[in-house]
Amino acid sequence: MTHRNEKGQPIGAPLPGWTARPDLPRAPITGRRCDVVPLQMDHAVDLHRAFSAGMTGTLWTYMPEGPFPDAQSYADWVAKAVQSTDPLFFAVIDKADDAPVGVAGYLRMQPAVGVAEVGYITFAPRLQRTAMATEALYLMIKQAFALGYRRFEWKCDALNAPSRAAAKRLGFTYEGTFRQATVYKNRNRDTAWFAIIDQDWPGLQRGFEAWLDPRNFDAEGRQKTPLSDHIPRSGDSSAAP
C-alpha cells in the first residue's frame, strides 16, 4: 500500500504513537541448550582455550581484533570488552558443563528508532555448526523483537562466505553491499548488509522454535529436519513456518 501526504507525494507508512524502545539489557538470556550471559573477566581463560582448540588460524580472519597468541592477550581484550556499552558483549555458556564457548554482541543500538545489530560473533570449534549455536543467536534476536525493535541487522565482510551463509540460514534478508565501507587490519572491507524486520519475525520465530524442539533431534543430537524446512524464505514472512 502506498501512503501519500497532502501534496500527493509517496511517504512511508505511519507509525502512530511510536516511542523509543527500551535499551537492550546487560542481562542473562536463558535457553534450553545454552545461556547467553554478559561477558565477564572470569570467562577469558576458558574462552581462549576453547577458541584455540583445533584451530587452523581462520577464526580471526574477518574479526576486527585477533588472533590472540596467548591467554593474557585475550584477557586484555576481554578487560576492554566488559567495559563497553556498545558493543554490548555476551558469552555463550554451554549448559551441559557451564563452559563459555563463544562470544557475540549487540552493537549500533538505536532504541529511538528500534534498530540494533548482532556482531562480533566468535564461536569456538565445539560450538560451530551446532543446535546450540543456532539457539544462542535465536535468543539474541528474539529478545530484540520482544522489546519492540523494528529491525535487527547482520553485517559482515562481503568476502566472508560462511558469515553470509549463516545470515541467510537464520532468515536474514540480504539488502546489498556497501563498497569500501571501512578499513580494518590495514585492508579494505566491502560490507554486506542483512536484516530481519518486525513483520518477518513471527514466521521466523515459529520456524526457530519448531527446529529447536528436542523432538527434532535424535538420541545422538542429530537433526531430523534442517532449519531450512522451518524458516520462511528470506524476506517472505508469509511462508509456512
Side-chain angles (χ1 to χ4, degrees), residues 13-170:
L15 296 172
W18 170 261
T19 59
R21 302 298 88 185
D23 291 337
L24 290 163
R26 190 192 295 271
I29 315 171
T30 300
R32 180 180 289 116
R33 298 168 180 83
C34 66
D35 294 329
V36 179
V37 306
L39 183 65
Q40 302 173 20
M41 283 305 304
D42 290 349
H43 298 142
V45 171
D46 288 339
L47 280 170
H48 184 265
R49 184 183 301 116
F51 292 150
S52 300
M55 288 307 301
T56 61
T58 60
L59 180 64
W60 307 102
T61 300
Y62 300 108
M63 301 299 293
E65 293 89 13
F68 300 94
D70 51 52
Q72 185 57 57
S73 61
Y74 186 68
D76 291 343
W77 179 84
V78 172
K80 294 184 292 184
V82 297
Q83 299 299 318
S84 173
T85 57
D86 191 343
L88 183 60
F89 289 100
F90 292 83
V92 179
I93 307 297
D94 186 341
K95 297 187 84 161
D97 58 5
D98 291 326
V101 291
V103 169
Y106 290 126
L107 61 155
R108 297 186 179 90
M109 294 169 282
Q110 304 175 66
V113 294
V115 176
E117 179 182 342
V118 66
Y120 284 89
I121 300 167
T122 317
F123 286 175
R126 65 177 272 191
L127 178 58
Q128 295 171 12
R129 302 180 67 84
T130 66
M132 187 182 355
T134 298
E135 182 181 52
L137 293 169
Y138 164 66
L139 292 172
M140 295 184 73
I141 302 167
K142 178 183 177 182
Q143 175 168 257
F145 286 111
L147 291 173
Y149 280 66
R150 305 175 59 241
R151 174 180 170 87
F152 196 71
E153 299 176 336
W154 177 301
K155 303 188 186 83
C156 63
D157 189 313
L159 298 175
N160 187 348
S163 184
R164 293 177 67 122
K168 292 179 181 178
R169 174 179 176 272
L170 294 170

Side-chain angles (χ1 to χ4, degrees), residues 197-214:
I197 60 173
D198 52 3
Q199 62 187 318
D200 303 331
W201 181 241
L204 292 173
Q205 182 173 9
R206 290 193 297 270
F208 277 116
E209 291 177 349
W211 185 79
L212 289 166
D213 191 308

Side-chain angles (χ1 to χ4, degrees), residues 160-183:
N160 187 348
S163 184
R164 293 177 67 122
K168 292 179 181 178
R169 174 179 176 272
L170 294 170
F172 285 81
T173 296
Y174 172 65
E175 296 182 333
T177 295
F178 283 36
R179 298 177 298 163
Q180 298 188 185
T182 189
V183 175

